[in-house]
Amino acid sequence: MADVDALRVVPGKPLSGELAGEGELSLPGDKSLSHRAALLGAMAEGVSQVDNFLLAGVTQAILDGLNKLGVEWQLQGRRLRVQGLGLAPAADRARLGAPQIDCGSSATSMRLLAGALAAWGLPATLDGSPGLRRRPMGRIVEPLTQMGVPIQSSDGGAPLLIGRSPRPLRALDHTLSVASAQVKSCLLLAALAGDGETVLREPGPSRDHTERMLRAMGVEVHSQEQWLFMGEVGQQHRYYLTRLTPPQRLQPLQLSLPGDISAAAFLIVAALITPGSRLILRRVGLNPTRTGLLEALRLMGADLVIRPTGEQSGEPLGDMIVRHSQLRGAEVKGELVVRMIDEFPAFAVAAAYAEGLTVVSQAEELRFKESDRITALGQELGRLGVDFKEMPDGFHIRGGLPLSGGVVNSHGDHRLAMALAAAGLAAKAEVVVGGAGIITQSYPEFAATLRALGADVHGE
Ligand code: S3P
């Protein structure tokens, strides 16, 4: 679908079939884990091997970045092999100068690379698309500066100019103002070169893939919850604490990545809203910091059977059966928001088909994703006749009426494009999603997978 910029979705066909754990018709490998495996593999001593690696625009950005830093890697099908530089790359890397790295539209690539560069003591300029330049980078620049990293942003955003960091870096004790795995991971990577234990506190349970992967590489990383008195009136708040002790070295990775639950989200919602649908999804990642959508859909009455099948490489995974369901409105706020932070486009579509009121609050972070997802969802679902009320920190949807067809736009946001396509499967008439080429950033086989499951979806 690389050359296709619009997707035409003809409603009325149920989705049925099975996505296996691997092979042609399967879920893509997890995006967050793919980023981390490529980068941590590059920081290890020795050769790492990662199976079911996601091949998409955003992971290409991080692999291109590694090229610029002289890291050797090979891809064979979905298998990635990376020759690590270790934590202290040889002084001869100075010949690389300070490369310009284009992170495309991937904030994960930018924030994680910034942390790795800081730990390695390598200079570079990190830049990206106009969309990426709008994403907030002050949240990594300020703590990295405290650690002694010479880093400059452009008005709190990209491009980021990173100089040669002194080694070791100063260990950090820092409280994140917003729960963010990208920020936490950036700082944990930098902390690998710290002069002592780094302590990070977060106001919510953001995804913990970096911590799990670092543990698998032999690093001492501890996570725990902590209640703290904050603010003038001394209110108690729950914080998520992560402590990392800098290691001598990272052992190489041997991983097989689970299917991406954030990609599965669109298929799950598509099956729930389209009459007659029944899907089986195998080897889906079920890390509890990522499964908020499943809980929210259950609150809506979704017929969703989940069978955990154990852990692989430190990450829980399992199989799922999803059937078309009569959904009802639900309320989502607080820590559930954090554990489904990427799933609101898909969730809003479920809400549009659910009987009654759905209320999402405490979710202002949605305004800082690939698009302002509160405003963009309101505009585009509004075009399909959805009763959507934008709130400063979320939205209200009064659902249950059939959606009209129409022409909608992705706002350059891969998840918005996939959610709108899913919405079209159960609408009264055709939905055309403009700007759908952006889907290749995270799920290039999305349209082909929907077709293989029976949907009438084609590019134009
Ligand atoms: C990601 C973390 C999330 C998420 C993004 C991937 C990651 O961002 O939205 O798609 O891989 O760490 P924040 O950590 O900024 O919330």
Side-chain angles (χ1 to χ4, degrees):
M1 80 160 280
D3 302 315
V4 167
D5 210 45
L7 262 190
R8 183 179 291 275
V9 182
V10 184
K13 299 265 180 65
L15 293 180
S16 84
E18 176 171 334
L19 295 195
E22 55 187 42
E24 197 89 324
L25 195 59
S26 60
L27 283 172
D30 187 88
K31 169 166 97 66
S32 288
L33 286 167
S34 295
H35 273 120
R36 286 158 174 77
L39 196 50
L40 285 172
M43 300 177 87
E45 262 176 35
V47 178
S48 289
Q49 179 169 306
V50 186
D51 284 319
N52 207 26
F53 184 78
L54 168 70
L55 299 170
V58 290
T59 49
Q60 194 57 49
I62 208 154
L63 292 176
D64 291 346
L66 293 181
N67 278 342
K68 294 265 179 89
L69 296 167
V71 176
E72 287 177 20
W73 53 266
Q74 296 98 36
L75 262 174
Q76 234 178 2
R78 293 188 185 186
R79 171 173 292 174
L80 175 74
R81 285 166 66 84
V82 189
Q83 174 71 55
L85 297 182
L87 286 174
D92 72 348
R93 301 260 144 205
R95 73 188 145 75
L96 295 170
Q100 281 267 352
I101 297 179
D102 181 0
C103 299
S105 62
S106 172
T108 313
S109 298
M110 181 168 283
R111 293 187 175 127
L112 266 56
L113 272 167
L117 288 163
W120 272 327
L122 295 176
T125 299
L126 304 179
D127 204 356
S129 64
L132 182 53
R133 282 186 168 197
R134 283 194 292 273
R135 309 281 293 272
M137 292 297 152
R139 32 177 94 174
I140 60 167
V141 170
E142 191 203 307
L144 285 175
T145 304
Q146 267 182 52
M147 295 178 89
V149 178
I151 177 168
Q152 276 171 30
S153 71
S154 162
D155 266 346
L160 297 179
L161 270 63
I162 302 179
R164 205 174 286 282
S165 298
R167 290 175 55 90
L169 291 169
R170 275 195 290 281
L172 186 67
D173 185 320
H174 180 66
T175 301
L176 281 67
S177 55
V178 179
S180 163
Q182 291 180 3
V183 173
K184 173 178 61 178
S185 301
C186 165
L187 301 177
L188 288 176
L189 296 191
L192 292 171
D195 60 5
E197 183 187 72
T198 279
V199 181
L200 302 176
R201 271 168 235 93
E202 273 190 294
S206 74
R207 62 196 69 190
D208 64 354
H209 301 306
T210 305
E211 296 88 307
R212 287 172 187 252
M213 210 176 275
L214 284 171
R215 278 184 207 117
M217 301 175 92
V219 183
E220 227 185 283
V221 188
H222 298 284
S223 309
Q224 78 192 73
E225 290 168 28
Q226 196 183 42
W227 287 90
L228 290 178
F229 288 98
M230 302 295 279
E232 280 172 23
V233 285
Q235 257 187 330
Q236 267 208 320
H237 290 279
R238 183 162 40 186
Y239 276 81
Y240 292 81
L241 193 83
T242 310
R243 290 184 291 124
L244 178 143
T245 306
Q248 293 292 322
R249 65 185 59 81
L250 299 182
Q251 291 155 21
L253 292 164
Q254 277 285 337
L255 298 178
S256 177
L257 303 183
D260 196 327
I261 190 168
S262 297
F266 303 102
L267 305 177
I268 294 171
V269 167
L272 288 173
I273 62 172
T274 310
S277 297
R278 180 177 181 274
L279 283 188
I280 300 179
L281 306 175
R282 300 214 183 269
R283 286 197 83 243
V284 188
L286 292 178
N287 180 315
T289 58
R290 298 281 300 280
T291 50
L293 176 74
L294 306 179
E295 284 161 50
L297 291 173
R298 282 228 171 108
L299 291 175
M300 287 181 148
D303 182 349
L304 205 56
V305 179
I306 299 160
R307 296 211 180 98
T309 52
E311 278 203 2
Q312 208 163 60
S313 320
E315 289 283 346
L317 73 176
D319 299 338
M320 233 178 255
I321 306 175
V322 194
R323 288 186 193 81
H324 168 251
S325 308
Q326 209 53 64
L327 301 175
R328 53 181 182 270
E331 190 185 353
V332 170
K333 62 179 180 181
E335 295 192 350
L336 191 52
V337 170
V338 180
R339 296 196 298 108
M340 58 182 282
I341 192 67
D342 287 337
E343 275 58 84
F344 285 92
F347 178 70
V349 170
Y353 283 93
E355 214 50 65
L357 185 66
T358 289
V359 176
V360 173
S361 61
Q362 301 174 336
E364 46 278 85
E365 192 57 15
L366 296 180
R367 297 195 180 278
F368 304 102
K369 294 297 175 186
E370 285 83 333
S371 64
D372 172 340
R373 286 189 175 151
I374 299 178
T375 299
L377 276 168
Q379 282 174 5
E380 301 309 315
L381 289 177
R383 285 185 217 282
L384 301 178
V386 177
D387 180 354
F388 185 107
K389 190 162 159 214
E390 178 169 344
M391 307 300 281
D393 67 341
F395 52 83
H396 295 184
I397 290 178
R398 193 167 286 283
L401 293 176
L403 271 62
S404 64
V407 178
V408 289
N409 192 276
S410 71
H411 293 235
D413 181 339
H414 55 127
R415 298 199 203 283
L416 202 67
M418 289 187 272
L420 293 166
L425 294 170
K428 279 192 295 188
E430 248 175 47
V431 169
V432 176
V433 185
I438 196 73
I439 293 172
T440 55
Q441 286 298 307
S442 70
Y443 194 172
E445 308 86 12
F446 175 67
T449 301
L450 282 179
R451 273 196 296 278
L453 296 172
D456 187 352
V457 176
H458 42 270
E460 52 181 37

